[in-house]
Structures are given as structure tokens and as C-alpha cells.
Amino acid sequence: MFQFRVAGSRSEKSYASVRYIPVKGTRFDRVSAVNQFSREVVAGKYTVEEAEKELDRIEHLPGKPGLAQILASGAGAAAFCVLFGGNGTDALCAFLAGILLWVFILRAVAAGKSKMVTNIIGGMLVTTICYILKYFGVGQNLHEMIIGSVMPMIPGAAFINGIRDITDEDYLSGFVRMLDALLVFVSISIGVAVVTVLAYSLTGGALL
């Protein structure tokens, strides 16, 4: 992590610190742990040394297991498919697409791939899966299947947090968050559009 310090006067070691923090997904487990930690600090349960150790423990909390993330992606895709008007069969297709999507994303993240490239390919992947399933008659409502399948990639929390920061007059943080979320939206749209155009040219729109 890059860190740059600006020197102050002779009586100060530094008066400003700038640190680069990349925009990443929200870790709600850490947010919850810090909130609980804050309550316990107010209650006087920690010394300064114990508080530093607890903060270090929270910072290094392990992420969710890969299998749990994959299943959650599938379940979320299926649920959103139904929410947007899909039936049970469409939900099963979205569940499968969501699972395969997150398997790809975990591998792409482990390989250090660009977020934009990952989202474009992810959008292409789920759209291709949905078209194939629709072609073989497994799903019925193609649009609902695709919408549900891409929802695990949508950065809803980041977008809402960006709006909140802007309303709190923290414009720099807000615009950075919103721009990052908008780039994700655009990347997913590009992936979906590429496969849709190819499928339309190959089938003449028969699957739409």
C-alpha cells in the first residue's frame, strides 16, 4: 500500500498523511465487528493495548469461504430473477448462471485480472449461459434470466454510499465511489450487449 507523509515543523514529525486505498467490495462483517467494538470501547471493556489488538484482529478477519460465496451468488441470482418476473424454471437457470459466474470471478480475482475486464467477461458469460439454456428450452423468460444472473455483480452498496457521501458534502469520496459503480454498470452492459448482438445475428432474434 502506498503511503506518503508531508513533513511539518521541527516540533512535528509530520502533519499530514496521504494513503492510497483502492476501491473494493464492502466487508459487512468488518463493519459489524467495528460497530460492536465501538460499543465495547464506550463501555470501557478495553485498555489501549487491548483495543489495538482487537482492531488488528478485525482488520485480518478472513473472508467468506469460496463455496459460500458461490452458493450465495446462485441464490441471489435466482431470487432476483423471480423478483423481476421470472418463473421457477427461469430461477433455476439463473441459479446455475450465478454459480458459474462466481466461480469465474473468484478465479479472475485470484489471477489479478482487471475489474473492468472481469465484469465484461462476466456479463458475456451469464448472457451466453442464459441463451444456451433458452435455446434448449430449459428457461422461458430470457430477459428475466439475464437480469437475475448479473445482479451478483451489481455494486449497489457502493453506489448508495457514493450518493450518501455526496449528500454529506464529501464530494471526492462520493464521486469516486459513484464513478467506480458506474464503470461496473457499463462493463456489465457491454458484456451483455456483445453476446446479445451476436446471438441476434446468428438466430435472427428467434430467442428474444
Side-chain angles (χ1 to χ4, degrees), residues 15-197:
Y15 67 84
S17 176
V18 178
R19 177 174 295 181
Y20 170 70
I21 301 176
V23 178
K24 293 184 178 180
T26 304
R27 286 286 301 273
F28 289 107
D29 55 338
R30 290 180 180 172
V31 173
S32 177
V34 170
N35 287 339
Q36 182 60 31
F37 168 74
S38 302
R39 299 185 191 99
E40 293 174 352
V41 168
V42 172
K45 294 185 178 181
Y46 294 100
T47 64
V48 174
E49 293 77 13
E50 291 172 342
E52 289 179 351
K53 290 181 180 179
E54 180 63 14
L55 282 174
D56 185 67
R57 184 191 70 81
I58 293 173
E59 183 179 1
H60 294 91
L61 282 174
K64 296 293 183 183
L67 179 60
Q69 295 182 45
I70 292 169
L71 292 176
S73 175
F80 276 109
C81 178
V82 174
L83 182 64
F84 285 105
N87 56 33
T89 306
D90 300 331
L92 288 176
C93 295
F95 179 80
L96 176 61
I99 285 178
L100 295 176
L101 166 67
W102 214 256
V103 170
F104 161 74
I105 287 179
L106 290 178
R107 291 184 176 274
V109 170
K113 299 299 182 182
S114 163
K115 179 191 289 188
M116 182 174 293
V117 173
T118 299
N119 287 319
I120 291 174
I121 297 176
M124 294 175 65
L125 175 65
V126 296
T127 307
T128 301
I129 293 170
C130 291
Y131 267 102
I132 291 174
L133 292 172
K134 177 67 182 299
Y135 178 80
F136 287 103
V138 180
Q140 298 178 8
N141 302 297
L142 180 63
H143 294 166
E144 287 73 9
M145 291 160 53
I146 295 175
I147 293 172
S149 299
V150 302
M151 288 305 291
M153 293 189 292
I154 301 297
F159 188 76
I160 296 301
N161 287 337
I163 296 175
R164 183 198 62 191
D165 288 344
I166 290 174
T167 57
D168 289 339
E169 300 183 355
D170 189 354
Y171 300 116
L172 180 59
S173 174
F175 279 116
V176 168
R177 288 179 183 272
M178 288 190 67
L179 179 60
D180 182 71
L182 289 173
L183 285 175
V184 173
F185 297 152
V186 171
S187 300
I188 296 171
S189 301
I190 291 173
V192 173
V194 167
V195 175
T196 300
V197 170

